[in-house]
Amino acid sequence: MTDAIDRLAPSEDPGPLDALSMEQLRARRNDLQEAEVTLSYVRRLVQVRLDILLDEREHRAGGAGARDTAALVAQLPKILLEHEPGTARGSFPDVGGLPPAVEEVVAELDAVFDAALAAAADRLAETERRVSSLRRALHASIDAVQEEMLRRYKSGEASVDSLLP
């Protein structure tokens, strides 16, 4: 799953930003912003599934067996409202496509044994950390591109007039 997540983030390093044209900077910024929205979406999907898995693990730790689908669905509003303190859960960005590996874990929730449930929760938590790290790196890249563009506008190297038709 890590390889699939890594493919969501732009890998090419454009080199020094001051060597890029304004058109190239804008294109780079747009690519980075698109990748950030995609990673935000994937991160939120992982967080939802992690919340469900952790709740199921807690349910089973209390001596209860696996819940059937109807019982799990009935608990979803409660599960999705509660999460670890300090872990913000944003809304879903508007992006299509679901990571199949994450969907498989959730689809088979009823059949997962307690040990496998804990391992799945650990994998999802690691995935969420990985996606968050990539998003932070993207934010830094987006900020660097924005700063270079702003520097050029302020110094007169670039003009907003060039954007007008």
PDB file of all heavy atoms in Angstrom, residues 47-57 67 72 76 79-80 106 109 117:
ATOM      1  N   GLN A  47      -8.527   7.277   7.942  1.00  0.00           N
ATOM      2  CA  GLN A  47      -8.957   7.628   9.294  1.00  0.00           C
ATOM      3  C   GLN A  47     -10.317   7.031   9.625  1.00  0.00           C
ATOM      4  O   GLN A  47     -10.522   6.524  10.737  1.00  0.00           O
ATOM      5  CB  GLN A  47      -9.012   9.149   9.453  1.00  0.00           C
ATOM      6  CG  GLN A  47      -7.656   9.800   9.490  1.00  0.00           C
ATOM      7  CD  GLN A  47      -7.743  11.319   9.417  1.00  0.00           C
ATOM      8  OE1 GLN A  47      -8.702  11.881   8.887  1.00  0.00           O
ATOM      9  NE2 GLN A  47      -6.732  11.982   9.932  1.00  0.00           N
ATOM     10  N   VAL A  48     -11.255   7.080   8.695  1.00  0.00           N
ATOM     11  CA  VAL A  48     -12.584   6.519   8.934  1.00  0.00           C
ATOM     12  C   VAL A  48     -12.475   5.022   9.202  1.00  0.00           C
ATOM     13  O   VAL A  48     -13.076   4.498  10.147  1.00  0.00           O
ATOM     14  CB  VAL A  48     -13.521   6.796   7.733  1.00  0.00           C
ATOM     15  CG1 VAL A  48     -14.767   5.932   7.791  1.00  0.00           C
ATOM     16  CG2 VAL A  48     -13.894   8.264   7.698  1.00  0.00           C
ATOM     17  N   ARG A  49     -11.714   4.333   8.371  1.00  0.00           N
ATOM     18  CA  ARG A  49     -11.567   2.891   8.555  1.00  0.00           C
ATOM     19  C   ARG A  49     -10.844   2.564   9.847  1.00  0.00           C
ATOM     20  O   ARG A  49     -11.206   1.605  10.534  1.00  0.00           O
ATOM     21  CB  ARG A  49     -10.864   2.292   7.349  1.00  0.00           C
ATOM     22  CG  ARG A  49     -11.841   2.156   6.197  1.00  0.00           C
ATOM     23  CD  ARG A  49     -11.198   2.420   4.859  1.00  0.00           C
ATOM     24  NE  ARG A  49     -12.173   2.348   3.791  1.00  0.00           N
ATOM     25  CZ  ARG A  49     -12.940   3.354   3.421  1.00  0.00           C
ATOM     26  NH1 ARG A  49     -12.864   4.511   4.031  1.00  0.00           N
ATOM     27  NH2 ARG A  49     -13.807   3.226   2.445  1.00  0.00           N
ATOM     28  N   LEU A  50      -9.864   3.356  10.198  1.00  0.00           N
ATOM     29  CA  LEU A  50      -9.165   3.148  11.461  1.00  0.00           C
ATOM     30  C   LEU A  50     -10.112   3.349  12.638  1.00  0.00           C
ATOM     31  O   LEU A  50     -10.118   2.560  13.585  1.00  0.00           O
ATOM     32  CB  LEU A  50      -7.973   4.108  11.557  1.00  0.00           C
ATOM     33  CG  LEU A  50      -7.120   4.008  12.815  1.00  0.00           C
ATOM     34  CD1 LEU A  50      -6.569   2.595  12.999  1.00  0.00           C
ATOM     35  CD2 LEU A  50      -5.994   5.020  12.764  1.00  0.00           C
ATOM     36  N   ASP A  51     -10.941   4.371  12.588  1.00  0.00           N
ATOM     37  CA  ASP A  51     -11.928   4.595  13.647  1.00  0.00           C
ATOM     38  C   ASP A  51     -12.860   3.387  13.789  1.00  0.00           C
ATOM     39  O   ASP A  51     -13.161   2.951  14.903  1.00  0.00           O
ATOM     40  CB  ASP A  51     -12.759   5.848  13.357  1.00  0.00           C
ATOM     41  CG  ASP A  51     -11.982   7.146  13.541  1.00  0.00           C
ATOM     42  OD1 ASP A  51     -10.897   7.121  14.147  1.00  0.00           O
ATOM     43  OD2 ASP A  51     -12.474   8.186  13.061  1.00  0.00           O
ATOM     44  N   ILE A  52     -13.287   2.830  12.665  1.00  0.00           N
ATOM     45  CA  ILE A  52     -14.177   1.662  12.692  1.00  0.00           C
ATOM     46  C   ILE A  52     -13.452   0.456  13.283  1.00  0.00           C
ATOM     47  O   ILE A  52     -13.981  -0.249  14.155  1.00  0.00           O
ATOM     48  CB  ILE A  52     -14.714   1.346  11.279  1.00  0.00           C
ATOM     49  CG1 ILE A  52     -15.654   2.466  10.823  1.00  0.00           C
ATOM     50  CG2 ILE A  52     -15.419  -0.011  11.254  1.00  0.00           C
ATOM     51  CD1 ILE A  52     -16.021   2.404   9.345  1.00  0.00           C
ATOM     52  N   LEU A  53     -12.230   0.216  12.834  1.00  0.00           N
ATOM     53  CA  LEU A  53     -11.467  -0.930  13.345  1.00  0.00           C
ATOM     54  C   LEU A  53     -11.170  -0.796  14.833  1.00  0.00           C
ATOM     55  O   LEU A  53     -11.292  -1.761  15.590  1.00  0.00           O
ATOM     56  CB  LEU A  53     -10.162  -1.081  12.563  1.00  0.00           C
ATOM     57  CG  LEU A  53     -10.295  -1.588  11.139  1.00  0.00           C
ATOM     58  CD1 LEU A  53      -8.950  -1.541  10.430  1.00  0.00           C
ATOM     59  CD2 LEU A  53     -10.864  -2.993  11.106  1.00  0.00           C
ATOM     60  N   LEU A  54     -10.775   0.395  15.259  1.00  0.00           N
ATOM     61  CA  LEU A  54     -10.477   0.583  16.686  1.00  0.00           C
ATOM     62  C   LEU A  54     -11.725   0.390  17.537  1.00  0.00           C
ATOM     63  O   LEU A  54     -11.659  -0.178  18.632  1.00  0.00           O
ATOM     64  CB  LEU A  54      -9.862   1.961  16.916  1.00  0.00           C
ATOM     65  CG  LEU A  54      -8.461   2.161  16.332  1.00  0.00           C
ATOM     66  CD1 LEU A  54      -8.012   3.606  16.512  1.00  0.00           C
ATOM     67  CD2 LEU A  54      -7.467   1.186  16.949  1.00  0.00           C
ATOM     68  N   ASP A  55     -12.864   0.859  17.057  1.00  0.00           N
ATOM     69  CA  ASP A  55     -14.102   0.666  17.794  1.00  0.00           C
ATOM     70  C   ASP A  55     -14.458  -0.821  17.873  1.00  0.00           C
ATOM     71  O   ASP A  55     -14.882  -1.307  18.924  1.00  0.00           O
ATOM     72  CB  ASP A  55     -15.243   1.452  17.149  1.00  0.00           C
ATOM     73  CG  ASP A  55     -16.487   1.402  18.002  1.00  0.00           C
ATOM     74  OD1 ASP A  55     -16.550   2.166  18.995  1.00  0.00           O
ATOM     75  OD2 ASP A  55     -17.388   0.582  17.711  1.00  0.00           O
ATOM     76  N   GLU A  56     -14.277  -1.537  16.777  1.00  0.00           N
ATOM     77  CA  GLU A  56     -14.564  -2.978  16.785  1.00  0.00           C
ATOM     78  C   GLU A  56     -13.613  -3.703  17.723  1.00  0.00           C
ATOM     79  O   GLU A  56     -14.020  -4.606  18.458  1.00  0.00           O
ATOM     80  CB  GLU A  56     -14.479  -3.550  15.368  1.00  0.00           C
ATOM     81  CG  GLU A  56     -14.780  -5.031  15.270  1.00  0.00           C
ATOM     82  CD  GLU A  56     -16.215  -5.402  15.612  1.00  0.00           C
ATOM     83  OE1 GLU A  56     -17.087  -4.517  15.731  1.00  0.00           O
ATOM     84  OE2 GLU A  56     -16.480  -6.617  15.764  1.00  0.00           O
ATOM     85  N   ARG A  57     -12.353  -3.316  17.738  1.00  0.00           N
ATOM     86  CA  ARG A  57     -11.392  -3.942  18.649  1.00  0.00           C
ATOM     87  C   ARG A  57     -11.792  -3.698  20.100  1.00  0.00           C
ATOM     88  O   ARG A  57     -11.752  -4.604  20.923  1.00  0.00           O
ATOM     89  CB  ARG A  57      -9.981  -3.409  18.377  1.00  0.00           C
ATOM     90  CG  ARG A  57      -8.920  -4.126  19.189  1.00  0.00           C
ATOM     91  CD  ARG A  57      -7.528  -3.778  18.761  1.00  0.00           C
ATOM     92  NE  ARG A  57      -7.227  -2.393  19.071  1.00  0.00           N
ATOM     93  CZ  ARG A  57      -6.073  -1.819  18.803  1.00  0.00           C
ATOM     94  NH1 ARG A  57      -5.125  -2.488  18.187  1.00  0.00           N
ATOM     95  NH2 ARG A  57      -5.860  -0.564  19.126  1.00  0.00           N
ATOM     96  N   ARG A  67     -19.432  -7.978  15.689  1.00  0.00           N
ATOM     97  CA  ARG A  67     -20.767  -7.471  15.383  1.00  0.00           C
ATOM     98  C   ARG A  67     -21.156  -7.850  13.965  1.00  0.00           C
ATOM     99  O   ARG A  67     -20.300  -7.926  13.080  1.00  0.00           O
ATOM    100  CB  ARG A  67     -20.794  -5.941  15.490  1.00  0.00           C
ATOM    101  CG  ARG A  67     -20.778  -5.449  16.918  1.00  0.00           C
ATOM    102  CD  ARG A  67     -20.845  -3.950  16.920  1.00  0.00           C
ATOM    103  NE  ARG A  67     -19.487  -3.448  16.746  1.00  0.00           N
ATOM    104  CZ  ARG A  67     -19.069  -2.263  17.179  1.00  0.00           C
ATOM    105  NH1 ARG A  67     -19.881  -1.451  17.775  1.00  0.00           N
ATOM    106  NH2 ARG A  67     -17.829  -1.896  17.001  1.00  0.00           N
ATOM    107  N   LEU A  72     -22.996  -2.964  13.267  1.00  0.00           N
ATOM    108  CA  LEU A  72     -21.901  -2.038  12.979  1.00  0.00           C
ATOM    109  C   LEU A  72     -22.426  -0.765  12.320  1.00  0.00           C
ATOM    110  O   LEU A  72     -22.058   0.342  12.722  1.00  0.00           O
ATOM    111  CB  LEU A  72     -20.858  -2.703  12.074  1.00  0.00           C
ATOM    112  CG  LEU A  72     -19.661  -1.842  11.701  1.00  0.00           C
ATOM    113  CD1 LEU A  72     -18.868  -1.436  12.931  1.00  0.00           C
ATOM    114  CD2 LEU A  72     -18.765  -2.579  10.728  1.00  0.00           C
ATOM    115  N   LEU A  76     -22.224   3.390  13.449  1.00  0.00           N
ATOM    116  CA  LEU A  76     -21.365   4.283  12.663  1.00  0.00           C
ATOM    117  C   LEU A  76     -21.452   5.755  13.075  1.00  0.00           C
ATOM    118  O   LEU A  76     -20.405   6.406  13.192  1.00  0.00           O
ATOM    119  CB  LEU A  76     -21.636   4.134  11.168  1.00  0.00           C
ATOM    120  CG  LEU A  76     -21.011   2.913  10.518  1.00  0.00           C
ATOM    121  CD1 LEU A  76     -21.392   2.844   9.047  1.00  0.00           C
ATOM    122  CD2 LEU A  76     -19.512   2.882  10.689  1.00  0.00           C
ATOM    123  N   ILE A  79     -19.318   6.036  16.151  1.00  0.00           N
ATOM    124  CA  ILE A  79     -17.919   5.727  15.849  1.00  0.00           C
ATOM    125  C   ILE A  79     -17.250   6.890  15.125  1.00  0.00           C
ATOM    126  O   ILE A  79     -16.132   7.286  15.446  1.00  0.00           O
ATOM    127  CB  ILE A  79     -17.814   4.447  14.991  1.00  0.00           C
ATOM    128  CG1 ILE A  79     -18.276   3.227  15.793  1.00  0.00           C
ATOM    129  CG2 ILE A  79     -16.390   4.251  14.475  1.00  0.00           C
ATOM    130  CD1 ILE A  79     -18.476   1.980  14.932  1.00  0.00           C
ATOM    131  N   LEU A  80     -17.932   7.449  14.151  1.00  0.00           N
ATOM    132  CA  LEU A  80     -17.329   8.478  13.314  1.00  0.00           C
ATOM    133  C   LEU A  80     -17.269   9.840  13.996  1.00  0.00           C
ATOM    134  O   LEU A  80     -16.523  10.712  13.559  1.00  0.00           O
ATOM    135  CB  LEU A  80     -18.058   8.571  11.972  1.00  0.00           C
ATOM    136  CG  LEU A  80     -17.988   7.289  11.141  1.00  0.00           C
ATOM    137  CD1 LEU A  80     -18.782   7.449   9.862  1.00  0.00           C
ATOM    138  CD2 LEU A  80     -16.553   6.883  10.856  1.00  0.00           C
ATOM    139  N   VAL A 106     -12.065  -3.203   5.400  1.00  0.00           N
ATOM    140  CA  VAL A 106     -13.382  -2.835   5.926  1.00  0.00           C
ATOM    141  C   VAL A 106     -14.456  -3.820   5.467  1.00  0.00           C
ATOM    142  O   VAL A 106     -15.314  -4.219   6.248  1.00  0.00           O
ATOM    143  CB  VAL A 106     -13.740  -1.395   5.536  1.00  0.00           C
ATOM    144  CG1 VAL A 106     -15.149  -1.047   5.990  1.00  0.00           C
ATOM    145  CG2 VAL A 106     -12.744  -0.429   6.155  1.00  0.00           C
ATOM    146  N   LEU A 109     -14.633  -6.920   7.653  1.00  0.00           N
ATOM    147  CA  LEU A 109     -14.538  -6.643   9.085  1.00  0.00           C
ATOM    148  C   LEU A 109     -15.147  -7.742   9.943  1.00  0.00           C
ATOM    149  O   LEU A 109     -14.575  -8.134  10.958  1.00  0.00           O
ATOM    150  CB  LEU A 109     -15.203  -5.300   9.396  1.00  0.00           C
ATOM    151  CG  LEU A 109     -15.089  -4.797  10.825  1.00  0.00           C
ATOM    152  CD1 LEU A 109     -13.628  -4.640  11.218  1.00  0.00           C
ATOM    153  CD2 LEU A 109     -15.815  -3.477  10.969  1.00  0.00           C
ATOM    154  N   LEU A 117      -7.406  -8.011  13.535  1.00  0.00           N
ATOM    155  CA  LEU A 117      -8.025  -6.698  13.684  1.00  0.00           C
ATOM    156  C   LEU A 117      -7.010  -5.696  14.242  1.00  0.00           C
ATOM    157  O   LEU A 117      -6.885  -4.584  13.733  1.00  0.00           O
ATOM    158  CB  LEU A 117      -9.242  -6.804  14.607  1.00  0.00           C
ATOM    159  CG  LEU A 117     -10.126  -5.593  14.742  1.00  0.00           C
ATOM    160  CD1 LEU A 117     -10.749  -5.228  13.410  1.00  0.00           C
ATOM    161  CD2 LEU A 117     -11.209  -5.877  15.773  1.00  0.00           C
TER     162      LEU A 117
END
